[in-house]
């Protein structure tokens, strides 16, 4: 698929953000959230300087955009990323309701640079009992009761 001029402009901004981000200890990833041709948020990967394993560029940009727009629903936005989003970022993009991702590099090139997400992609397809992270379930009834309370809540906002 060919990029239009707007896609090229915002994707270059995401790539430039990634390059700038490395200058002060951030990772080589950048993301930009755009709505109606306007940049709502842009961020770089801040995992190491922020001591936060969730501080990926896409997650950071989604957090900023949601705050600036005053909503958790970013369905009218496009996210531009310097690299194909990892599974965590992809999950955040889905939760935010973003329906369009434009990216430059891909997960295979990221793996060559030392950022391999392949094991996560593989693990997601496994049964809980087969994963490398031990998953223990307990207090089912108590956990279920909170969800029951949610179901009965009259004025909840679904997301």
């Amino acid at each position: 698929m060919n990029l239009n001029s707007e896609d090229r402009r915002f994707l270059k901004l995401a790539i430039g953000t990634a390059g700038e981000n490395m200058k002060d200890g951030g990772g080589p990833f950048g993301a930009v959230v755009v709505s109606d041709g306007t940049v709502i948020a842009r961020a770089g990967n801040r995992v190491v300087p922020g001591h936060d394993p969730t501080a990926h560029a896409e997650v950071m940009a989604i957090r900023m955009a949601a705050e600036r727009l005053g909503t958790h629903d970013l369905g009218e936005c496009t996210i531009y990323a310097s690299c194909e989003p990892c599974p965590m970022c992809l999950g955040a993009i889905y939760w935010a309701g973003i329906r369009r991702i434009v990216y430059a590099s891909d997960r295979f090139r990221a793996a060559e640079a030392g950022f391999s997400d392949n094991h996560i992609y593989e693990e997601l397809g496994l049964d809980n009992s087969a994963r490398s992270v031990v998953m223990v379930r307990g207090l089912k009834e108590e956990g279920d009761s909170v969800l029951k309370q949610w179901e009965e809540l009259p004025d909840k906002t679904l997301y």
Side-chain angles (χ1 to χ4, degrees):
M1 177 179 192
N2 290 331
L3 299 180
N4 62 40
S5 61
E6 185 173 272
D7 285 340
R8 293 181 68 76
R9 180 167 51 108
F10 293 128
L11 191 53
K12 284 184 179 203
L13 182 59
I15 294 166
T17 300
E20 292 168 16
N21 191 59
M22 290 188 297
K23 292 177 184 173
D24 66 351
F29 304 99
V32 178
V33 176
V34 174
S35 180
D36 293 324
T38 300
V39 173
I40 305 301
R42 76 180 194 136
N45 176 293
R46 305 305 294 167
V47 169
V48 173
H51 311 292
D52 180 354
T54 69
H56 290 203
E58 297 89 338
V59 171
M60 300 293 286
I62 287 168
R63 288 174 183 165
M64 285 186 229
E67 185 174 336
R68 287 192 181 134
L69 294 175
T71 181
H72 63 279
D73 183 358
L74 303 180
E76 299 302 315
C77 297
T78 296
I79 191 163
Y80 295 85
S82 63
C83 189
E84 180 180 357
C86 76
M88 178 184 67
C89 293
L90 192 56
I93 290 165
Y94 274 93
W95 276 113
I98 296 171
R99 295 186 300 268
R100 187 163 185 265
I101 304 165
V102 180
Y103 65 94
S105 195
D106 66 20
R107 62 180 158 151
F108 305 106
R109 180 62 187 98
E112 291 173 6
F115 298 95
S116 181
D117 302 323
N118 197 48
H119 68 285
I120 300 172
Y121 283 104
E122 291 171 357
E123 291 256 328
L124 290 174
L126 299 175
D127 184 75
N128 289 353
S129 64
R131 292 182 178 163
S132 63
V133 173
V134 176
M135 297 182 70
V136 179
R137 185 174 183 188
L139 302 177
K140 178 190 177 311
E141 292 78 19
E142 288 89 338
D144 287 351
S145 72
V146 176
L147 292 174
K148 178 72 171 156
Q149 291 172 37
W150 170 258
E151 290 171 334
E152 295 170 356
L153 197 64
D155 296 328
K156 63 184 168 270
T157 300
L158 297 176
Y159 58 96

